[in-house]
Amino acid sequence: MSELQRSPFRDAEQALSSRIADLIDQLSLPEKIALLHQHQAPVPRLGLDGFRTGTEALHGVAWLGAATVFPQAVGLAHTWDPELVRRVGAAVGDEVRAFHHKDPGGVGLNVWAPVVNPLRDPRWGRNEEGYAEDPWLTGLIGAAYARGLRGDHPFYLRTAPTLKHFLAYNNETRRALTSSNLPPRVLHEYELPAFRTPLADGAAVAVMASYNLINGRPTHVSPLINDVLRGFTGDDIMVVGDAAAVSNLARDQRYLEDHVAGFAAALRAGVDCMTEDGADGAPTRGFLTEALARGLIDESHVDAAVRHILSVRFRLGEFDPPERNPFAVVTEDAINCTAHQELAREAARASVVLLKNECLPLTGDLRVAVIGPLADAVHEDWYSGGLPYRVTPYRAIAARSALGTVFAEGVDRVALRTPAGWVEAPDSPDGGPLRGDAATPGHFDVLDYGHQVIALRAVANGRVAAVFEPGGPLVNDQPGPNGWEVHETFATSDAGGGRIRLRHVQTGRWVALGADGLLHASAGTPADAVPLTVELITDGRRAAADAAAGADVAVVVLGNHPLVNGRETEDRPGLDLPASAQALLAAVHEANPRTVLVLTSSYPYSITWAAAHLPAVLWSAHGGQEYGAALADVLYGADAAGHPVDAAGRLTQTWYRSDAELPDLLDYDIIATDATYLYYRGTPLFPFGHGLSYTRFAYRDLRVSTASAGPDDTVEVSVEVTNTGTRPGQDVVQLYTRQQRSRVKQPLRALRGFARVRLAPGESTRVTIPLPVADLAFWDVTRSRPVIEAARHTVAVGRSSTDLVLTTTLAVRGEHIPDRDPARPLPAVDNDDYDGVLPADHDTLVSTRPDAWAAFEGVDFHTDITGVRVRGAGPGTVTLRLDDPAGPVIATAELPAAPAPVEVTVRVDGAHGVRDLFLVYGAAGVTVSDVVFDAAGGGHGG
């Protein structure tokens, strides 16, 4: 045995903490600093190999070539089946191991998945990466996927799952510069729980910090990392930075004066591993070494980060004999194996949601028209694997249709003419530059993504035109939009006289005709762009309508391209279908009233017309390689072997009738804005939890195991469910509660549990769902802690958040929240209501306009209050009023301009009894940290 093999850190029988401590003791300070980067340097003298974080594995192994592609993450969540999601995670984890087996140095075992940001707003560009708008369901599904990725061994990890993105990250618009406003209740009740569950469960072992700021402070220096996140588990958590996000502290955000200060602050805040400068760790090492020299950090900060990183590396089996690690035996045979293909189809099938139904499943001998731009397509998204094959809806339906199938893509085919001639594309497989002076016209299919964004597919070779640099030519050599930077889309604008201009979206340059006769994206202004006359060759809508008219049923497949008009770096412009898609749908329906709409998309749409006029509507996320086969199974109500298939998916997001029903995308206070199904007071198009079955289910005899329960109790809620239809089917029995009376605004309904049942016709079963009373707690802003109030709760079961068919009442023995005590400091952020203020850095509340206010309800001025100390910064006044924002004045504080809160003491007159207190701001930009009242005789809060 070599000396290295005898080192205690190599002894697998020793405790993990002892092994880590031994290795840290043997590492020099420069060697330890070299571990604090995504690409960790090897340490040959100790036998340590290099290590890298960050293999993407959101719904398949991404960016490494062909791998099994499962439905998008949001689609997996719509299965409402944590065990199925766990199995998908395990399959993806095995494929990560397989790629690592092929390339140990290039493919790391730390995976950056799952995404557990609750889907607060369906306009978020990365909606498809998350799971649900409900934080409890997000945490449950996220834990299931992470559990599959990590495996079930008590020590060794299949892979090391990383939760993304901590915290309150739901917008791409200026994502590194916007601050998410999180009042305490939103923070503790909505944003944190989805992270708590996978960490407390031991399913995830790492977390990625997010690009945004929270309450004015960048997340990469947020105290929430060390003070809250790491408290969710007793295990070490490795925290990684997002790409270039630590550099943003001194660059884009200008929060700190230079990179040395920024990297030091991130390390102190709990970011262990910096994702900076690609594979080059030298800048990170240099900044941290200089930070040590300046005294901004010390070796204990480095050691803490190294401990968190090594805890993951040890559990991945890096330092142990492979025979001890059950996951070390996985080989590349696992990639896209038959079992994973079957699982991909099962997951895609389970994720399809039947939104409306008057004509499905398809039965009998039918001629089917399959129509739409997504009917013969299966798209990848940015975080999917490379598709090893594609089963499209059209191909799958064609294999099942007894009387034949007709296909119509439904897109217009056009010819384009410049003042110099026709636009023509080369017909070679590799394409070439597009000419604008040809004597004969080329034909192009217009792929219309909505919001004036299109792509042009040359009929000559079936490839899409792209531009790869400003001033570059248009070249028809791409399969479609793809890559981190999408080079294949153009924005159209009116040039007058029936002509259009094209602006290349990625470069921002307008398309012009060069002296060489080629089309280039070279013009800086519309005036310099070449006007294009559009001549219609084939009317896509008419061709689709003709196809539909000759069929027994038309299946129209519409939706989005995952890389256009909503993706990482780009939020959605709105909820509507593209106008061209809506017109296509209406034309097909007019030609054949038996039209079924299949929406294949990364997010919900506002489809009020379709919901009112069509006999059937289904939704699915982009479903991966087996999507078409899975969709056909659902449409026909049976798989290819004739086994019954039910529509099993249920919505995890509210489908709104219009984006006018949504608050500002950048307003994260779901309580104040009545956002998500928890607080939304309108009538949704389709509610959270909705999804139809091909059979019918009846509920009866709702019971609770006790009529009264305390904080430590778990109540068993049970109901009898019967399949009253003629087909076997699946139902998701959903449990919701609502607190009937409370000191604070409570959710209108909140999901507390669910159970999936599979029943034959006429079969009944009693479903039991546990309800821990602790889950009914909310954040008490008067005492800055969770509280369970003494109250009665409505307990309801049903088919969705608005279809609650049985209810009962549970009395909860909890606390009565006392009035606020003015002898204690009143932090401004712990207000009960507000207008015109936002949480800001240094735990302050800043005004956005004059007359902004924050309210503190039920302050018991039980002693003789003579003064108040206001901590904040101006310049401007803060007036203390009673009862309402225009009520009696008891004090006014003039706050000076200052870089941080300062204390100003003023006299108080007229504060008696239990009153509501209002802090009213005299100007915009005034901040308040807290107020402390002084009583006669010098008493005051501490």
Side-chain angles (χ1 to χ4, degrees):
M1 180 180 293
S2 70
E3 190 67 30
L4 283 178
Q5 291 173 320
R6 286 193 293 268
S7 293
F9 79 84
R10 296 279 183 183
D11 184 354
E13 299 300 325
Q14 290 201 28
L16 175 61
S17 58
S18 299
R19 299 177 71 188
I20 293 173
D22 176 68
L23 181 50
I24 290 176
D25 285 346
Q26 295 191 51
L27 290 165
S28 68
L29 182 55
E31 289 169 341
K32 288 186 286 189
I33 290 174
L35 299 181
L36 307 185
H37 185 264
Q38 180 184 17
H39 293 262
Q40 298 169 24
V43 184
R45 69 181 184 84
L46 296 178
L48 270 66
D49 294 328
F51 182 87
R52 63 158 293 175
T53 63
T55 295
E56 298 289 356
L58 188 60
H59 57 109
V61 185
W63 309 353
L64 296 175
T68 308
V69 179
F70 295 93
Q72 290 177 308
V74 71
L76 293 175
H78 278 69
T79 66
W80 288 60
D81 191 336
E83 174 56 20
L84 175 58
V85 174
R86 185 203 63 78
R87 289 165 53 209
V88 171
V92 175
D94 277 347
E95 295 201 13
V96 172
R97 276 277 176 181
F99 278 105
H100 177 74
H101 183 267
K102 289 171 56 179
D103 183 9
V107 180
L109 294 174
N110 165 238
V111 294
W112 286 355
V115 171
V116 292
N117 299 109
L119 299 179
R120 173 186 60 88
D121 193 305
R123 295 168 298 184
W124 182 31
R126 301 179 75 170
N127 188 85
E128 77 274 6
E129 297 182 34
Y131 293 125
E133 68 186 66
D134 179 83
W136 178 84
L137 184 58
T138 295
L140 182 74
I141 299 297
Y145 189 72
R147 175 63 63 179
L149 288 170
R150 79 170 295 285
D152 55 6
H153 192 276
F155 178 78
Y156 290 108
L157 303 172
R158 175 184 278 121
T159 66
T162 302
L163 304 180
K164 301 195 301 186
H165 311 80
F166 190 80
L167 185 69
Y169 170 44
N170 282 131
N171 63 275
E172 299 305 295
T173 304
R174 302 175 68 246
R175 62 179 179 173
L177 300 176
T178 56
S179 179
S180 304
N181 56 307
L182 294 187
R185 286 193 61 202
V186 178
L187 171 67
H188 291 278
E189 297 173 30
Y190 191 71
E191 293 292 345
L192 289 173
F195 286 84
R196 180 189 301 115
T197 301
L199 291 171
D201 183 59
V205 297
V207 174
M208 175 186 283
S210 56
Y211 282 114
N212 54 289
L213 297 83
I214 298 174
N215 296 343
R217 179 178 296 177
T219 57
H220 281 67
V221 293
S222 172
L224 293 170
I225 295 174
N226 281 332
D227 296 348
V228 178
L229 181 75
R230 287 200 156 101
F232 291 160
T233 175
D235 297 330
D236 282 323
I237 300 171
M238 179 177 72
V239 176
V240 302
D242 208 338
V246 176
S247 293
N248 281 344
L249 293 169
R251 189 179 57 222
D252 296 351
Q253 294 167 342
R254 299 181 182 178
Y255 189 79
L256 291 160
E257 60 272 19
D258 60 21
H259 288 315
V260 174
F263 278 64
L267 186 68
R268 292 196 308 268
V271 177
D272 307 307
C273 186
M274 316 298 172
T275 310
E276 304 285 331
D277 303 295
D280 184 6
T284 292
R285 295 194 300 270
F287 295 142
L288 292 174
T289 300
E290 176 61 22
L292 282 162
R294 291 189 195 176
L296 299 176
I297 55 173
D298 58 38
E299 192 166 358
S300 68
H301 296 109
V302 176
D303 286 351
V306 171
R307 185 181 75 247
H308 299 147
I309 292 168
L310 290 179
S311 71
V312 169
R313 294 180 62 170
F314 270 96
R315 295 186 65 193
L316 287 169
E318 178 180 344
F319 305 111
D320 296 346
E323 59 268 19
R324 295 183 67 98
N325 182 353
F327 306 114
V329 299
V330 179
T331 68
E332 56 199 87
D333 293 338
I335 299 171
N336 193 40
C337 63
T338 300
H340 291 179
Q341 294 173 7
E342 293 172 350
L343 181 60
R345 183 168 180 171
E346 179 185 353
R349 186 167 53 217
S351 69
V352 176
V353 183
L354 183 59
L355 298 174
K356 179 183 179 180
N357 186 35
E358 297 169 1
C359 68
L360 295 176
L362 301 177
T363 58
D365 294 337
L366 299 172
R367 179 173 172 81
V368 183
V370 187
I371 295 167
L374 273 69
D376 197 25
V378 174
H379 289 312
E380 299 174 0
D381 64 24
W382 178 241
Y383 288 108
S384 71
L387 284 161
Y389 59 86
R390 290 171 166 87
V391 182
T392 71
Y394 166 59
R395 301 297 174 185
I397 293 171
R400 303 279 290 271
S401 179
L403 299 182
T405 306
V406 60
F407 168 70
E409 190 175 13
V411 303
D412 289 341
R413 181 163 291 178
V414 302
L416 303 173
R417 192 173 70 246
T418 74
W422 295 97
V423 177
E424 187 178 57
D427 60 4
S428 66
D430 294 333
L434 272 59
R435 301 203 65 83
D437 60 355
T440 58
H443 292 168
F444 297 86
D445 294 328
V446 180
L447 308 180
D448 187 349
Y449 302 114
H451 304 283
Q452 289 76 53
V453 176
I454 66 168
L456 294 172
R457 185 178 62 210
V459 176
N461 69 348
R463 308 291 279 182
V464 171
V467 176
F468 287 94
E469 59 184 2
L474 279 64
V475 179
N476 61 318
D477 65 350
Q478 294 298 304
N482 67 92
W484 174 251
E485 293 183 340
V486 174
H487 299 277
E488 297 81 15
T489 54
F490 299 85
T492 64
S493 66
D494 185 9
R499 301 173 301 171
I500 64 169
R501 296 185 181 93
L502 295 178
R503 178 177 56 82
H504 186 240
V505 173
Q506 193 270 327
T507 62
R509 300 294 184 92
W510 295 82
V511 175
L513 183 63
D516 55 4
L518 303 180
L519 295 180
H520 296 261
S522 57
T525 66
D528 295 323
V530 61
L532 298 168
T533 301
V534 182
E535 295 196 9
L536 185 64
I537 305 301
T538 302
D539 186 322
R541 289 201 297 273
R542 176 170 296 179
D546 290 345
D552 297 303
V553 62
V555 176
V556 182
V557 188
L558 302 173
N560 76 305
H561 192 293
L563 298 178
V564 182
N565 285 341
R567 52 157 292 171
E568 185 170 0
T569 73
E570 181 183 7
D571 290 314
R572 292 174 69 189
L575 301 183
D576 291 339
L577 279 172
S580 61
Q582 179 60 50
L584 173 66
L585 184 62
V588 171
H589 178 255
E590 184 176 3
N592 187 337
R594 195 178 180 190
T595 293
V596 176
L597 171 62
V598 176
L599 279 173
T600 305
S601 69
S602 306
Y603 34 64
Y605 277 106
S606 173
I607 51 166
T608 53
W609 184 91
H613 292 87
L614 300 185
V617 180
L618 303 95
W619 175 86
S620 170
H622 293 276
Q625 62 200 51
E626 287 284 342
Y627 174 55
L631 177 63
D633 289 348
V634 176
L635 287 170
Y636 283 92
D639 62 18
H643 302 118
V645 171
D646 197 12
R650 300 295 184 266
L651 295 181
T652 66
Q653 289 183 269
T654 302
W655 284 48
Y656 297 94
R657 296 177 180 274
S658 165
D659 50 17
E661 298 178 293
L662 293 169
D664 189 298
L665 176 64
L666 302 182
D667 192 338
Y668 280 69
D669 189 348
I670 66 162
I671 300 176
T673 59
D674 292 336
T676 78
Y677 87 99
L678 294 163
Y679 296 96
Y680 175 60
R681 298 180 181 275
T683 301
L685 184 62
F686 299 112
F688 173 87
H690 174 71
L692 302 178
S693 166
Y694 287 146
T695 189
R696 298 182 304 278
F697 295 92
Y699 295 9
R700 63 175 298 275
D701 192 21
L702 176 63
R703 303 176 189 173
V704 290
S705 58
T706 180
S708 176
D712 298 327
D713 295 335
T714 295
V715 179
E716 301 292 332
V717 181
S718 66
V719 64
E720 186 176 298
V721 183
T722 302
N723 181 347
T724 61
T726 59
R727 290 174 50 96
Q730 301 184 43
D731 193 22
V732 177
V733 183
Q734 301 168 38
L735 170 64
Y736 295 85
T737 68
R738 180 181 184 181
Q739 186 167 328
Q740 296 177 1
R741 292 184 179 274
S742 178
R743 181 188 179 278
V744 301
K745 180 179 179 180
Q746 290 284 351
L748 300 173
R749 79 289 288 173
L751 180 69
R752 302 299 184 185
F754 64 90
R756 178 175 289 280
V757 294
R758 296 168 174 84
L759 298 175
E763 183 181 4
S764 297
T765 189
R766 177 159 285 276
V767 173
T768 300
I769 303 173
L771 173 60
V773 175
D775 288 354
L776 305 178
F778 62 91
W779 190 257
D780 176 17
V781 294
T782 72
R783 295 171 293 178
S784 298
R785 65 171 175 84
V787 64
I788 298 173
E789 274 188 306
R792 296 169 67 83
H793 291 252
T794 298
V795 177
V797 293
R799 304 177 185 92
S800 77
S801 58
T802 63
D803 186 9
L804 302 174
V805 295
L806 295 174
T807 64
T808 188
T809 300
L810 174 68
V812 172
R813 302 185 301 274
E815 298 181 61
H816 294 278
I817 299 175
D819 293 327
R820 290 181 184 265
D821 183 355
R824 298 179 178 274
L826 296 179
V829 295
D830 285 340
N831 60 78
D832 292 291
D833 198 5
Y834 66 89
D835 183 44
V837 293
L838 291 172
D841 203 2
H842 304 295
D843 297 320
T844 61
L845 202 65
V846 61
S847 56
T848 61
R849 56 173 173 76
D851 298 322
W853 53 264
F856 301 82
E857 298 174 0
V859 180
D860 185 0
F861 294 106
H862 58 278
T863 57
D864 185 13
I865 300 297
T866 59
V868 64
R869 288 171 290 143
V870 180
R871 287 202 314 133
T877 61
V878 173
T879 301
L880 281 64
R881 295 178 178 268
L882 300 180
D883 305 331
D884 64 57
V889 175
I890 61 171
T892 298
E894 184 74 38
L895 295 174
V902 297
E903 186 174 281
V904 174
T905 302
V906 293
R907 180 175 176 78
V908 171
D909 291 311
H912 304 290
V914 178
R915 312 285 286 274
D916 293 343
L917 174 68
F918 286 77
L919 306 184
V920 181
Y921 293 70
V926 176
T927 62
V928 176
S929 174
D930 55 42
V931 297
V932 182
F933 287 93
D934 296 325
H940 57 75

